[in-house]
Amino acid sequence: MSLDEKIRRAARILKEARHAVVLTGAGISTESGIPDFRSPGTGLWEKEDPEDFTIDSFNRDPGAFYRRIRPLLTIINEAEPNDGHKVLAELEQRGRIKIIITQNIDGLHQQAGSRRVLDVHGTFKTGTCQSCRQKNDLADLLLVLDRGDEPDCPQCGGVIKPDVVLFGEEMPDDFQRAHRETLKCDCMLVVGSSLQVAPVGFLPRYSKNLMIINRGTTPYDEEARVVIRSSAGQALQRILEELDILRQGF
Ligand code: NAD
């Protein structure tokens, strides 16, 4: 099937769906300048050690943890939503998609205007004091790090942990909601995920009318009704244009 045919098919499936959900991963944000984990040459795992992203590593030495992830925090703080995030926000506004389940921890869906977003791996945009539970913005934490200080809670001096789910931590309530949304959906559109990270990577197994936009392969490619191997931003933009054409009845 040609790319044009795949785009048309994806638009038609979305148009007919009553409860479409979108599952996004790091690949939708690479066009905003945030590296993903697994792309050859640029993926974070080529430079970073996953062991450094565990809750044990954080608890052992929060200061060292912050120093290691500091470059990533700066990139996330400065990143802007791209066409992919914007199209998904537009599709929600038009009622074409019900909710976004995201593995991303960059807050870009919310920045683009999406309202119903499940952050199943939490977010780096805020951090919570482990003692008094006060929330702090990433931008404020970066100011403290810029001064060469440890990001302690300004209220009580406690340790602030980024609101991300580190390896070894329990999944948040949003994951249970994501599971329920998946069981309810009649279409799941995966964008920019290798679908290799458990347990989120299992969700497509419970979905219907699976569609995938991803440069690399995924374990679900054989089962999907449409697999588009191109830029997430471009593919989503073209699907939106195709939906416009369908709406006008051409
Ligand atoms: P992953 O790195 O395992 O896979 C990303 C996939 O996106 C790859 O298969 C790659 O081929 C594809 N891709 C990259 N750029 C693309 C583009 N422009 N268009 C289309 N496809 C593109 O990422 P994942 O599946 O999300 O892995 C999960 C973990 O990565 C999550 O735990 C998430 O928290 C974490 N992560 C998030 C961010 C972020 O928030 N932006 C960044 C790095 C890692």
Side-chain angles (χ1 to χ4, degrees):
M1 205 188 297
S2 72
L3 179 60
D4 284 349
E5 285 167 331
K6 287 179 182 184
I7 297 284
R8 274 198 292 277
R9 177 183 272 201
R12 233 173 284 124
I13 291 172
L14 265 184
K15 183 169 181 275
E16 281 161 19
R18 290 170 162 270
H19 196 104
V21 303
V22 178
L23 170 59
T24 65
I28 194 171
S29 293
T30 56
E31 290 163 55
S32 292
I34 306 177
D36 62 9
F37 276 169
R38 291 182 179 77
S39 280
T42 54
L44 277 174
W45 287 160
E46 302 217 345
K47 286 181 254 138
E48 306 286 347
D49 181 353
E51 264 302 301
D52 291 339
F53 289 79
T54 63
I55 184 65
D56 286 346
S57 158
F58 177 80
N59 286 337
R60 242 189 332 266
D61 189 345
F65 176 89
Y66 276 108
R67 281 191 293 281
R68 270 195 308 269
I69 63 161
R70 171 65 205 277
L72 179 61
L73 291 182
T74 304
I75 292 172
I76 289 174
N77 190 45
E78 290 170 1
E80 296 287 340
N82 62 52
D83 284 350
H85 300 106
K86 290 177 195 164
V87 168
L88 291 182
E90 172 78 24
L91 289 176
E92 181 191 349
Q93 212 179 10
R94 292 187 187 185
R96 287 275 161 240
I97 62 171
K98 292 287 183 214
I99 203 160
I100 297 173
I101 301 165
T102 188
Q103 300 166 85
N104 293 345
I105 34 74
D106 55 29
L108 290 179
H109 286 303
Q110 290 89 340
Q111 258 174 260
S114 290
R115 289 169 180 218
R116 298 197 71 218
V117 182
L118 297 174
D119 289 314
V120 291
H121 288 165
T123 178
F124 261 128
K125 293 296 246 190
T126 54
T128 302
C129 172
Q130 302 299 280
S131 304
C132 73
R133 310 307 299 169
Q134 174 164 296
K135 286 242 180 232
N136 299 266
D137 285 338
L138 170 62
D140 295 334
L141 293 179
L142 281 169
L143 287 177
V144 177
L145 289 167
D146 277 346
R147 291 200 302 266
D149 295 336
E150 304 246 322
D152 295 333
C153 175
Q155 191 154 282
C156 75
V159 174
I160 297 170
K161 186 190 142 314
D163 291 335
V164 287
V165 181
L166 295 172
F167 292 119
E169 286 193 289
E170 269 184 31
M171 292 296 279
D173 291 346
D174 269 3
F175 178 70
Q176 297 310 326
R177 290 182 60 201
H179 189 228
R180 287 197 294 274
E181 287 290 335
T182 304
L183 294 176
K184 253 196 290 185
C185 81
D186 56 2
C187 167
M188 174 178 269
L189 172 62
V190 173
V191 186
S193 176
S194 64
L195 297 175
Q196 284 181 35
V197 177
V200 180
F202 295 129
L203 290 178
R205 190 183 289 177
Y206 306 104
S207 72
K208 298 190 186 76
N209 287 315
L210 180 63
M211 304 195 279
I212 298 174
I213 301 173
N214 200 56
R215 279 201 182 126
T217 57
T218 84
Y220 293 93
D221 290 356
E222 296 287 308
E223 296 159 39
R225 290 196 60 192
V226 183
V227 178
I228 298 174
R229 279 200 212 296
S230 76
S231 138
Q234 283 170 20
L236 285 168
Q237 189 63 48
R238 290 195 56 192
I239 289 172
L240 186 69
E241 286 160 14
E242 191 60 34
L243 279 167
D244 282 339
I245 292 169
L246 289 174
R247 195 161 58 164
Q248 288 155 14
F250 294 132

